[in-house]
Every structure is written in C-alpha cells, then in structure tokens.
Amino acid sequence: MQVADWGRRSYRQSWDDQLQVLGAVQSGTQPDTLIFVEHDPVLTLGASFHPENLLLSPEAYAERGIAIEKTDRGGDVTYHGPGQLTIYPIFDLQNHGRDLHRWMRDLEQTMMLVAIQFALTPRRFAPHTGVWIGDRKLAAIGVKIKRWVSLHGIALNVNNPLHEFDLIVPCGIQGYGVTSLAEELGREVSLEEAKAATLTAFQSVFG
C-alpha cells in the first residue's frame, strides 16, 4: 500500500488527480494507494442526491464560500472542509474480496478502529452506511467502483466546525446529527493524529 498526503486543496483538483491514480492502479503500474486530503469548503452531491437536502440556494452557499460539486460516488449530499480528513483508498478490489458489500463493511471497520484508538465507542447503524458515535455520525462513506478499483472514500470529522452541516441534510438522513473526534474528546485533534490512526487502521484491516 502506497500512502499519499495531498495536504489542502480543492475538490476539483483532487478529483482530477484521483482519476490519474485510478488509471495507474487499474494498469498495475501503481499499488493500492491511500490518499489523505483536506478540502476547501465544498458540498459533494452523490448519485442518490435529492435537491431538497440542500437547505439554501446555490447563491447562498457561494456567499459562504462553499462550492458545490456533482460526483459519481454513492450516497446523497455531504460537506467537506478544513479540519476534516478526507480519505481516498484507491484499491484494486480484486485483491480484497471482489465484493462491494464487503468493501463497504471493511471501510466502516477501519473508521471504527480509528475511533477506538481515541478511546471512543463506535457503532454501525444499518441501513445507513458510515460510522456513528451514539446517534451522531462520525464518518461518512461514499464510493464508486470502476473495473474493480475503488474511487472516492471516507470523510472523517476530526476538528472541523459542525455548524456547516446545519446547511444541509447530511447524507439525506433526517433526525440524526453529526459529530467529530474533537467534539467527542473535548479537545482539539490534529489532522496528523487522525492520519496516523487511520493508517494504523488500514494496515490492520488490509495488511
């Protein structure tokens, strides 16, 4: 597994670079690649997006400095921004079970292991994909598989302000909130801490 840290950048730039990595992994010229990135403020709309889950107009989001990007990942709408760790595992699933359901459960397992490293008690909350602390979502997951190589991935709330999620219906799920590592621990959590825990979790689940 190769690890790449892209720092902070726009969603659009990261999407273009993901596609380059995808091609390299599909061709076998690059191994499974785990990417860490911190995005500029953006709402990403998944393949199951419902317009009513945007609570403001596009102009109002723009005034707040929040971009909107359509994507081909699964799921509805989610928010990415500074203080959140976005994780793109571009992995060849032919080496990891060749099973989309198993892949999603394995990604959930990695985030549960991250939470456990911070002494939290995570849970799955079927049928809602992701990882939860009680009734609040800690990590959102949305992927796309192309020729058995995965794109997109995980948004882990680390130290990001949670009020941004009030501007949408996160993942289209009514009646439940979101949380972060910082919120649960009552202290600031750096992205470097979260990256180290995430790498350990991926190594545990995928080797």
Side-chain angles (χ1 to χ4, degrees):
M1 181 174 63
Q2 179 173 304
V3 180
D5 190 336
W6 287 352
R8 180 170 167 176
R9 59 171 66 181
S10 71
Y11 182 85
R12 178 55 52 185
Q13 181 184 4
S14 298
W15 170 240
D16 292 340
D17 288 346
Q18 267 196 87
L19 293 178
Q20 291 188 12
V21 176
L22 170 74
V25 174
Q26 285 176 331
S27 68
T29 60
Q30 184 167 322
D32 290 347
T33 301
L34 183 65
I35 297 165
F36 296 135
V37 63
E38 180 185 21
H39 284 310
D40 297 331
V42 62
L43 299 175
T44 60
L45 314 180
S48 301
F49 167 65
H50 293 81
E52 61 269 23
N53 292 326
L54 292 180
L55 302 181
L56 303 179
S57 67
E59 294 76 18
Y61 289 119
E63 288 174 2
R64 288 167 169 78
I66 301 173
I68 299 175
E69 295 281 359
K70 293 182 178 179
T71 78
D72 60 354
R73 63 162 172 80
D76 204 293
V77 58
T78 196
Y79 170 81
H80 302 286
Q84 182 192 70
L85 180 61
T86 303
I87 305 150
Y88 295 130
I90 304 184
F91 284 19
D92 188 342
L93 301 196
Q94 296 183 93
N95 301 322
H96 301 288
R98 198 181 168 95
D99 182 319
L100 178 57
H101 179 78
R102 173 180 167 181
W103 175 242
M104 298 298 286
R105 302 294 78 77
D106 283 348
L107 292 182
E108 287 177 339
Q109 183 65 20
T110 63
M111 291 299 99
M112 293 178 74
L113 291 178
V114 169
I116 289 167
Q117 290 177 71
F118 286 95
L120 299 175
T121 303
R123 71 179 184 113
R124 292 183 171 94
F125 185 22
H128 307 302
T129 299
V131 170
W132 301 70
I133 306 295
D135 288 339
R136 300 194 295 176
K137 183 178 276 191
L138 176 69
I141 301 173
V143 303
K144 174 76 173 180
I145 307 301
K146 295 188 177 183
R147 288 170 44 197
W148 288 109
V149 175
S150 180
L151 276 172
H152 305 290
I154 305 165
L156 172 64
N157 296 324
V158 179
N159 208 48
N160 45 307
L162 300 179
H163 64 82
E164 302 288 6
F165 290 95
D166 295 338
L167 306 177
I168 60 173
V169 179
C171 303
I173 302 172
Q174 295 274 4
Y176 296 93
V178 296
T179 191
S180 67
L181 293 176
E183 178 76 10
E184 295 298 321
L185 297 174
R187 67 171 178 86
E188 288 193 7
V189 179
S190 71
L191 288 184
E192 296 310 312
E193 286 182 86
K195 290 172 189 175
T198 299
L199 180 56
T200 296
F202 267 85
Q203 289 171 333
S204 177
V205 174
F206 297 104

CSV table of all heavy atoms in Angstrom, one decimal, residues 21-28 30-33 89-104 106-107 143-152 206:
chain,number,residue,atom,x,y,z
A,21,VAL,N,-4.5,8.5,-10.6
A,21,VAL,CA,-4.1,7.4,-9.7
A,21,VAL,C,-5.0,6.1,-10.1
A,21,VAL,O,-4.4,5.0,-10.1
A,21,VAL,CB,-4.3,7.7,-8.2
A,21,VAL,CG1,-4.0,6.5,-7.3
A,21,VAL,CG2,-3.4,8.9,-7.8
A,22,LEU,N,-6.3,6.3,-10.3
A,22,LEU,CA,-7.1,5.2,-10.7
A,22,LEU,C,-6.5,4.5,-11.9
A,22,LEU,O,-6.4,3.3,-12.0
A,22,LEU,CB,-8.5,5.8,-11.1
A,22,LEU,CG,-9.5,4.8,-11.7
A,22,LEU,CD1,-10.0,3.7,-10.7
A,22,LEU,CD2,-10.6,5.5,-12.4
A,23,GLY,N,-6.2,5.3,-13.0
A,23,GLY,CA,-5.6,4.6,-14.2
A,23,GLY,C,-4.4,3.9,-13.9
A,23,GLY,O,-4.2,2.8,-14.4
A,24,ALA,N,-3.5,4.4,-13.0
A,24,ALA,CA,-2.3,3.7,-12.7
A,24,ALA,C,-2.5,2.4,-11.9
A,24,ALA,O,-1.9,1.4,-12.1
A,24,ALA,CB,-1.4,4.6,-11.9
A,25,VAL,N,-3.5,2.4,-11.0
A,25,VAL,CA,-3.8,1.2,-10.2
A,25,VAL,C,-4.5,0.2,-11.1
A,25,VAL,O,-4.2,-1.0,-11.1
A,25,VAL,CB,-4.7,1.6,-9.0
A,25,VAL,CG1,-5.1,0.3,-8.3
A,25,VAL,CG2,-3.9,2.5,-8.0
A,26,GLN,N,-5.4,0.7,-12.0
A,26,GLN,CA,-6.0,-0.3,-12.9
A,26,GLN,C,-5.0,-1.0,-13.8
A,26,GLN,O,-5.1,-2.1,-14.2
A,26,GLN,CB,-7.0,0.5,-13.8
A,26,GLN,CG,-8.3,0.8,-13.0
A,26,GLN,CD,-9.3,1.7,-13.9
A,26,GLN,OE1,-8.8,2.4,-14.8
A,26,GLN,NE2,-10.6,1.5,-13.6
A,27,SER,N,-4.0,-0.2,-14.3
A,27,SER,CA,-3.0,-0.8,-15.2
A,27,SER,C,-1.9,-1.6,-14.5
A,27,SER,O,-1.1,-2.3,-15.1
A,27,SER,CB,-2.3,0.3,-16.0
A,27,SER,OG,-1.5,1.1,-15.1
A,28,GLY,N,-1.9,-1.6,-13.2
A,28,GLY,CA,-0.9,-2.3,-12.4
A,28,GLY,C,0.4,-1.6,-12.3
A,28,GLY,O,1.4,-2.2,-11.8
A,30,GLN,N,0.9,1.0,-10.4
A,30,GLN,CA,0.9,1.6,-9.1
A,30,GLN,C,0.2,0.7,-8.1
A,30,GLN,O,-0.9,0.2,-8.5
A,30,GLN,CB,0.3,3.0,-9.1
A,30,GLN,CG,0.4,3.8,-7.8
A,30,GLN,CD,0.1,5.3,-8.0
A,30,GLN,OE1,0.4,5.9,-9.0
A,30,GLN,NE2,-0.6,5.9,-7.0
A,31,PRO,N,0.7,0.5,-6.9
A,31,PRO,CA,-0.1,-0.3,-6.0
A,31,PRO,C,-1.3,0.4,-5.4
A,31,PRO,O,-1.5,1.6,-5.7
A,31,PRO,CB,1.0,-0.6,-4.9
A,31,PRO,CG,1.9,0.7,-4.9
A,31,PRO,CD,1.9,1.1,-6.4
A,32,ASP,N,-2.0,-0.3,-4.6
A,32,ASP,CA,-3.1,0.3,-3.8
A,32,ASP,C,-2.6,1.5,-3.2
A,32,ASP,O,-1.5,1.6,-2.6
A,32,ASP,CB,-3.6,-0.7,-2.7
A,32,ASP,CG,-4.4,-1.9,-3.3
A,32,ASP,OD1,-4.8,-1.9,-4.5
A,32,ASP,OD2,-4.6,-2.8,-2.5
A,33,THR,N,-3.4,2.6,-3.3
A,33,THR,CA,-2.9,3.9,-2.8
A,33,THR,C,-3.9,4.6,-1.9
A,33,THR,O,-5.1,4.7,-2.2
A,33,THR,CB,-2.7,4.9,-4.0
A,33,THR,OG1,-1.7,4.3,-4.9
A,33,THR,CG2,-2.2,6.2,-3.6
A,89,PRO,N,-9.2,5.7,-0.5
A,89,PRO,CA,-8.4,4.5,-0.8
A,89,PRO,C,-8.7,4.0,-2.2
A,89,PRO,O,-9.8,3.5,-2.5
A,89,PRO,CB,-9.0,3.5,0.3
A,89,PRO,CG,-10.4,4.1,0.5
A,89,PRO,CD,-10.4,5.5,0.1
A,90,ILE,N,-7.7,4.2,-3.1
A,90,ILE,CA,-7.8,3.7,-4.5
A,90,ILE,C,-7.2,2.4,-4.5
A,90,ILE,O,-6.0,2.2,-4.8
A,90,ILE,CB,-7.2,4.8,-5.4
A,90,ILE,CG1,-7.9,6.1,-5.2
A,90,ILE,CG2,-7.4,4.3,-6.9
A,90,ILE,CD1,-7.4,7.2,-6.2
A,91,PHE,N,-8.0,1.4,-4.3
A,91,PHE,CA,-7.6,0.0,-4.1
A,91,PHE,C,-8.2,-0.9,-5.2
A,91,PHE,O,-9.3,-0.7,-5.6
A,91,PHE,CB,-8.0,-0.6,-2.7
A,91,PHE,CG,-7.2,-0.1,-1.5
A,91,PHE,CD1,-6.5,1.1,-1.6
A,91,PHE,CD2,-7.3,-0.7,-0.3
A,91,PHE,CE1,-5.8,1.6,-0.5
A,91,PHE,CE2,-6.6,-0.3,0.8
A,91,PHE,CZ,-5.8,0.9,0.7
A,92,ASP,N,-7.4,-1.9,-5.6
A,92,ASP,CA,-7.9,-2.9,-6.5
A,92,ASP,C,-8.6,-4.0,-5.7
A,92,ASP,O,-8.0,-4.8,-5.0
A,92,ASP,CB,-6.7,-3.5,-7.3
A,92,ASP,CG,-7.1,-4.5,-8.4
A,92,ASP,OD1,-8.3,-4.9,-8.4
A,92,ASP,OD2,-6.3,-4.8,-9.2
A,93,LEU,N,-9.9,-4.0,-5.9
A,93,LEU,CA,-10.8,-4.9,-5.1
A,93,LEU,C,-10.6,-6.4,-5.5
A,93,LEU,O,-11.1,-7.3,-4.8
A,93,LEU,CB,-12.2,-4.5,-5.1
A,93,LEU,CG,-12.5,-3.1,-4.6
A,93,LEU,CD1,-14.0,-2.9,-4.3
A,93,LEU,CD2,-11.8,-2.7,-3.4
A,94,GLN,N,-10.0,-6.6,-6.6
A,94,GLN,CA,-9.7,-8.0,-7.0
A,94,GLN,C,-8.7,-8.6,-6.0
A,94,GLN,O,-8.7,-9.9,-5.9
A,94,GLN,CB,-9.2,-8.1,-8.4
A,94,GLN,CG,-10.2,-7.6,-9.4
A,94,GLN,CD,-9.7,-7.7,-10.8
A,94,GLN,OE1,-9.9,-8.8,-11.5
A,94,GLN,NE2,-9.0,-6.7,-11.3
A,95,ASN,N,-8.0,-7.8,-5.2
A,95,ASN,CA,-7.1,-8.3,-4.2
A,95,ASN,C,-7.8,-8.2,-2.8
A,95,ASN,O,-7.1,-8.5,-1.8
A,95,ASN,CB,-5.8,-7.5,-4.2
A,95,ASN,CG,-5.1,-7.6,-5.5
A,95,ASN,OD1,-5.1,-8.6,-6.1
A,95,ASN,ND2,-4.5,-6.5,-6.0
A,96,HIS,N,-9.0,-7.7,-2.7
A,96,HIS,CA,-9.7,-7.5,-1.4
A,96,HIS,C,-11.1,-8.1,-1.4
A,96,HIS,O,-12.0,-7.4,-0.9
A,96,HIS,CB,-9.7,-6.0,-1.1
A,96,HIS,CG,-8.3,-5.4,-1.0
A,96,HIS,ND1,-7.4,-5.7,0.1
A,96,HIS,CD2,-7.6,-4.6,-1.8
A,96,HIS,CE1,-6.3,-5.0,-0.1
A,96,HIS,NE2,-6.4,-4.4,-1.3
A,97,GLY,N,-11.3,-9.2,-2.0
A,97,GLY,CA,-12.5,-9.9,-1.9
A,97,GLY,C,-13.5,-9.8,-3.1
A,97,GLY,O,-14.4,-10.5,-3.3
A,98,ARG,N,-13.2,-8.8,-4.0
A,98,ARG,CA,-14.0,-8.6,-5.2
A,98,ARG,C,-15.5,-8.6,-4.8
A,98,ARG,O,-16.4,-9.2,-5.5
A,98,ARG,CB,-13.7,-9.6,-6.3
A,98,ARG,CG,-14.2,-9.3,-7.7
A,98,ARG,CD,-13.9,-10.4,-8.6
A,98,ARG,NE,-14.5,-10.2,-9.9
A,98,ARG,CZ,-14.0,-9.7,-11.0
A,98,ARG,NH1,-12.8,-9.2,-10.9
A,98,ARG,NH2,-14.6,-9.6,-12.1
A,99,ASP,N,-15.8,-7.8,-3.8
A,99,ASP,CA,-17.2,-7.8,-3.2
A,99,ASP,C,-17.5,-6.4,-2.7
A,99,ASP,O,-16.9,-6.0,-1.7
A,99,ASP,CB,-17.3,-8.8,-2.1
A,99,ASP,CG,-18.7,-9.0,-1.5
A,99,ASP,OD1,-19.3,-7.9,-1.3
A,99,ASP,OD2,-19.1,-10.1,-1.2
A,100,LEU,N,-18.4,-5.7,-3.3
A,100,LEU,CA,-18.7,-4.3,-2.9
A,100,LEU,C,-19.2,-4.2,-1.5
A,100,LEU,O,-18.9,-3.3,-0.7
A,100,LEU,CB,-19.7,-3.7,-3.9
A,100,LEU,CG,-20.1,-2.2,-3.6
A,100,LEU,CD1,-18.9,-1.3,-3.5
A,100,LEU,CD2,-21.1,-1.7,-4.6
A,101,HIS,N,-20.1,-5.1,-1.1
A,101,HIS,CA,-20.7,-5.1,0.2
A,101,HIS,C,-19.6,-5.3,1.3
A,101,HIS,O,-19.5,-4.6,2.3
A,101,HIS,CB,-21.7,-6.2,0.4
A,101,HIS,CG,-22.3,-6.3,1.8
A,101,HIS,ND1,-23.3,-5.4,2.2
A,101,HIS,CD2,-22.1,-7.1,2.8
A,101,HIS,CE1,-23.6,-5.7,3.5
A,101,HIS,NE2,-22.9,-6.7,3.9
A,102,ARG,N,-18.7,-6.2,1.0
A,102,ARG,CA,-17.5,-6.5,1.9
A,102,ARG,C,-16.7,-5.2,2.0
A,102,ARG,O,-16.2,-4.9,3.1
A,102,ARG,CB,-16.7,-7.7,1.5
A,102,ARG,CG,-15.5,-7.9,2.3
A,102,ARG,CD,-14.7,-9.1,1.8
A,102,ARG,NE,-13.3,-9.1,2.3
A,102,ARG,CZ,-12.4,-10.1,2.0
A,102,ARG,NH1,-12.7,-11.1,1.2
A,102,ARG,NH2,-11.2,-10.0,2.5
A,103,TRP,N,-16.4,-4.6,0.8
A,103,TRP,CA,-15.6,-3.4,0.8
A,103,TRP,C,-16.2,-2.3,1.7
A,103,TRP,O,-15.4,-1.7,2.5
A,103,TRP,CB,-15.5,-2.9,-0.6
A,103,TRP,CG,-14.8,-1.6,-0.9
A,103,TRP,CD1,-15.3,-0.5,-1.4
A,103,TRP,CD2,-13.4,-1.3,-0.6
A,103,TRP,NE1,-14.3,0.5,-1.5
A,103,TRP,CE2,-13.1,0.0,-1.0
A,103,TRP,CE3,-12.3,-2.1,0.0
A,103,TRP,CZ2,-11.9,0.6,-0.8
A,103,TRP,CZ3,-11.1,-1.5,0.1
A,103,TRP,CH2,-10.9,-0.1,-0.3
A,104,MET,N,-17.5,-2.1,1.6
A,104,MET,CA,-18.1,-1.0,2.4
A,104,MET,C,-18.0,-1.4,3.9
A,104,MET,O,-17.7,-0.5,4.7
A,104,MET,CB,-19.6,-0.9,2.0
A,104,MET,CG,-19.8,-0.4,0.6
A,104,MET,SD,-19.1,1.2,0.3
A,104,MET,CE,-20.2,2.3,1.1
A,106,ASP,N,-15.7,-3.2,5.3
A,106,ASP,CA,-14.2,-3.1,5.6
A,106,ASP,C,-13.9,-1.6,5.9
A,106,ASP,O,-13.1,-1.3,6.8
A,106,ASP,CB,-13.3,-3.7,4.5
A,106,ASP,CG,-13.3,-5.2,4.6
A,106,ASP,OD1,-13.8,-5.8,5.6
A,106,ASP,OD2,-12.8,-5.8,3.6
A,107,LEU,N,-14.4,-0.7,5.0
A,107,LEU,CA,-14.2,0.7,5.2
A,107,LEU,C,-14.8,1.2,6.6
A,107,LEU,O,-14.2,2.0,7.3
A,107,LEU,CB,-14.7,1.5,4.1
A,107,LEU,CG,-14.0,1.4,2.7
A,107,LEU,CD1,-14.7,2.3,1.7
A,107,LEU,CD2,-12.5,1.6,2.8
A,143,VAL,N,-18.6,5.6,-2.2
A,143,VAL,CA,-17.6,5.2,-3.2
A,143,VAL,C,-18.2,4.9,-4.5
A,143,VAL,O,-19.4,4.9,-4.8
A,143,VAL,CB,-16.9,3.8,-2.7
A,143,VAL,CG1,-16.3,4.0,-1.3
A,143,VAL,CG2,-17.9,2.7,-2.7
A,144,LYS,N,-17.3,4.7,-5.5
A,144,LYS,CA,-17.6,4.3,-6.9
A,144,LYS,C,-16.5,3.2,-7.2
A,144,LYS,O,-15.4,3.4,-6.9
A,144,LYS,CB,-17.5,5.5,-7.8
A,144,LYS,CG,-17.7,5.2,-9.3
A,144,LYS,CD,-19.1,4.9,-9.6
A,144,LYS,CE,-19.3,4.7,-11.1
A,144,LYS,NZ,-20.7,4.4,-11.5
A,145,ILE,N,-17.0,2.2,-7.9
A,145,ILE,CA,-16.1,1.1,-8.3
A,145,ILE,C,-16.0,1.1,-9.8
A,145,ILE,O,-17.0,1.1,-10.5
A,145,ILE,CB,-16.5,-0.3,-7.8
A,145,ILE,CG1,-16.8,-0.2,-6.3
A,145,ILE,CG2,-15.5,-1.3,-8.2
A,145,ILE,CD1,-15.6,0.1,-5.5
A,146,LYS,N,-14.8,1.2,-10.4
A,146,LYS,CA,-14.6,1.2,-11.8
A,146,LYS,C,-13.5,0.1,-12.1
A,146,LYS,O,-12.4,0.2,-11.7
A,146,LYS,CB,-14.1,2.6,-12.3
A,146,LYS,CG,-15.1,3.7,-12.1
A,146,LYS,CD,-14.6,5.0,-12.8
A,146,LYS,CE,-15.7,6.1,-12.7
A,146,LYS,NZ,-15.3,7.3,-13.4
A,147,ARG,N,-14.0,-0.9,-12.9
A,147,ARG,CA,-13.2,-2.0,-13.2
A,147,ARG,C,-12.5,-2.6,-12.0
A,147,ARG,O,-11.3,-2.9,-11.9
A,147,ARG,CB,-12.1,-1.6,-14.3
A,147,ARG,CG,-12.7,-1.4,-15.7
A,147,ARG,CD,-11.7,-0.8,-16.6
A,147,ARG,NE,-10.4,-1.4,-16.6
A,147,ARG,CZ,-9.3,-0.8,-17.1
A,147,ARG,NH1,-9.4,0.4,-17.7
A,147,ARG,NH2,-8.1,-1.4,-17.0
A,148,TRP,N,-13.3,-2.7,-10.9
A,148,TRP,CA,-12.9,-3.3,-9.6
A,148,TRP,C,-11.9,-2.5,-8.9
A,148,TRP,O,-11.2,-3.0,-8.0
A,148,TRP,CB,-12.5,-4.7,-9.8
A,148,TRP,CG,-13.7,-5.6,-10.0
A,148,TRP,CD1,-14.0,-6.2,-11.2
A,148,TRP,CD2,-14.8,-5.9,-9.1
A,148,TRP,NE1,-15.2,-6.9,-11.1
A,148,TRP,CE2,-15.7,-6.7,-9.8
A,148,TRP,CE3,-15.0,-5.5,-7.8
A,148,TRP,CZ2,-16.9,-7.2,-9.2
A,148,TRP,CZ3,-16.2,-6.0,-7.2
A,148,TRP,CH2,-17.1,-6.8,-7.9
A,149,VAL,N,-11.7,-1.2,-9.3
A,149,VAL,CA,-10.8,-0.3,-8.5
A,149,VAL,C,-11.7,0.8,-7.9
A,149,VAL,O,-12.6,1.4,-8.6
A,149,VAL,CB,-9.7,0.3,-9.4
A,149,VAL,CG1,-8.9,1.3,-8.5
A,149,VAL,CG2,-8.8,-0.8,-9.9
A,150,SER,N,-11.5,1.0,-6.6
A,150,SER,CA,-12.4,2.0,-5.9
A,150,SER,C,-11.9,3.4,-6.0
A,150,SER,O,-10.7,3.7,-6.1
A,150,SER,CB,-12.4,1.6,-4.4
A,150,SER,OG,-13.2,2.5,-3.6
A,151,LEU,N,-12.9,4.3,-6.1
A,151,LEU,CA,-12.7,5.7,-6.1
A,151,LEU,C,-13.5,6.4,-4.9
A,151,LEU,O,-14.4,5.7,-4.4
A,151,LEU,CB,-13.2,6.4,-7.4
A,151,LEU,CG,-12.3,6.4,-8.6
A,151,LEU,CD1,-13.1,6.8,-9.8
A,151,LEU,CD2,-11.1,7.3,-8.4
A,152,HIS,N,-13.2,7.6,-4.6
A,152,HIS,CA,-13.9,8.3,-3.5
A,152,HIS,C,-13.6,7.6,-2.2
A,152,HIS,O,-12.5,7.0,-2.1
A,152,HIS,CB,-15.4,8.5,-3.8
A,152,HIS,CG,-15.7,9.1,-5.1
A,152,HIS,ND1,-15.5,10.4,-5.4
A,152,HIS,CD2,-16.3,8.6,-6.2
A,152,HIS,CE1,-15.9,10.7,-6.6
A,152,HIS,NE2,-16.4,9.6,-7.2
A,206,PHE,N,-6.4,-4.2,6.1
A,206,PHE,CA,-6.0,-4.6,4.7
A,206,PHE,C,-4.6,-5.1,4.6
A,206,PHE,O,-4.2,-5.6,3.5
A,206,PHE,CB,-6.2,-3.4,3.7
A,206,PHE,CG,-7.6,-3.0,3.6
A,206,PHE,CD1,-8.0,-1.8,4.2
A,206,PHE,CD2,-8.5,-3.7,2.9
A,206,PHE,CE1,-9.3,-1.3,4.1
A,206,PHE,CE2,-9.8,-3.3,2.8
A,206,PHE,CZ,-10.2,-2.1,3.4
